[in-house]
Amino acid sequence: MNVGISGLRRELRNYVDAALARMFVWTLTANTSALGNEDHVAQGDNDDNPTPGQRPVRRVEPFGMRSRPPAKQRSLSLRLGSSTVLYLGIASDGGYGPKDLADGEVVLYSKNVPQGVRLMDNGDVALASKAGQVVSVNGTTYAMPKWDDYSTDLDTLIGAVAGMPVAVNLFDAITNMNTIRAAFTAFQTAKLAALDYKSTKAKNG
């Protein structure tokens, strides 16, 4: 009797394992859609066929965050019934996103931006764009000012004016005024008018 029960247990366990294996499927992403309601995955994992068979899936996501995975990412899907398949997510392999996360860190990334938003282990929040592109805050109408460069140049200008010798006669006073005028004119034309303090990496609305 015990042998029979043991055998039934093994059969039941094998049946449950096989059922779970059929429900959770590793495969490759194929065609994706903007909303995830018309996505497809390849029929099998690591399918290198140029035109592999595809299965329609429905992408699920947490509220408040939407992502659209590129093709050929190893992904996990849940099969419900004979036709309904839910796409759950990808298996991280280092192909996209950062490879140096510290314990507890979070990063939002995309195909072309490896670290768009990074919540860092030290408490800092870092924003970044693709090289040559900008980070925009509520629009791109205005360039962010480069305050460090501006304050450095302004401090140099003020220091030069403040360091001029005190005029003791009219000739010295006129000379000082001409020197001050030349300094401010140079600051205006070489720096302000040349838009030297406009950031090319960050803009706002």
Side-chain angles (χ1 to χ4, degrees):
M1 187 68 175
N2 288 338
V3 175
I5 292 177
S6 177
L8 289 174
R9 286 176 176 172
R10 282 196 300 273
E11 288 186 15
L12 179 60
R13 184 167 58 248
N14 292 338
Y15 174 81
V16 172
D17 290 344
L20 290 176
R22 290 192 298 270
M23 289 175 60
F24 291 93
V25 183
W26 285 107
T27 184
L28 297 179
T29 57
N31 296 321
T32 61
S33 59
L35 294 179
N37 56 344
E38 297 179 354
D39 284 17
H40 289 77
V41 295
Q43 291 282 10
D45 192 13
N46 298 323
D47 191 344
D48 293 325
N49 187 335
T51 57
Q54 296 181 1
R55 176 185 293 114
V57 297
R58 174 68 173 178
R59 193 166 74 235
V60 296
E61 61 187 28
F63 178 78
M65 186 179 73
R66 176 159 296 154
S67 65
R68 182 175 176 176
K72 295 188 178 300
Q73 298 301 296
R74 192 165 189 256
S75 63
L76 181 64
S77 298
L78 172 63
R79 182 186 293 123
L80 301 175
S82 60
S83 59
T84 303
V85 180
L86 299 178
Y87 166 80
L88 301 179
I90 67 169
S92 178
D93 61 1
Y96 296 97
K99 304 177 180 64
D100 60 346
L101 282 186
D103 184 34
E105 288 190 338
V106 177
V107 168
L108 295 179
Y109 67 93
S110 68
K111 182 171 67 175
N112 292 318
V113 183
Q115 299 190 50
V117 179
R118 182 163 185 163
L119 309 182
M120 304 177 72
D121 184 52
N122 62 5
D124 287 347
V125 178
L127 303 178
S129 61
K130 181 182 177 181
Q133 303 300 314
V134 300
V135 172
S136 60
V137 181
N138 202 32
T140 58
T141 305
Y142 308 104
M144 294 284 197
K146 297 190 291 185
W147 287 114
D148 288 354
D149 293 346
Y150 176 78
S151 60
T152 298
D153 290 344
L154 185 61
D155 181 67
T156 300
L157 173 64
I158 294 174
V161 172
M164 295 178 63
V166 177
V168 295
N169 53 51
L170 181 60
F171 177 79
D172 289 345
I174 294 174
T175 301
N176 285 354
M177 289 300 297
N178 288 335
T179 302
I180 292 172
R181 179 179 180 181
F184 273 92
T185 300
F187 179 72
Q188 178 189 20
T189 56
K191 298 294 184 178
L192 297 180
L195 306 180
D196 210 41
Y197 304 113
K198 282 192 172 184
S199 173
T200 59
K201 297 181 178 180
K203 295 184 177 181
N204 65 5

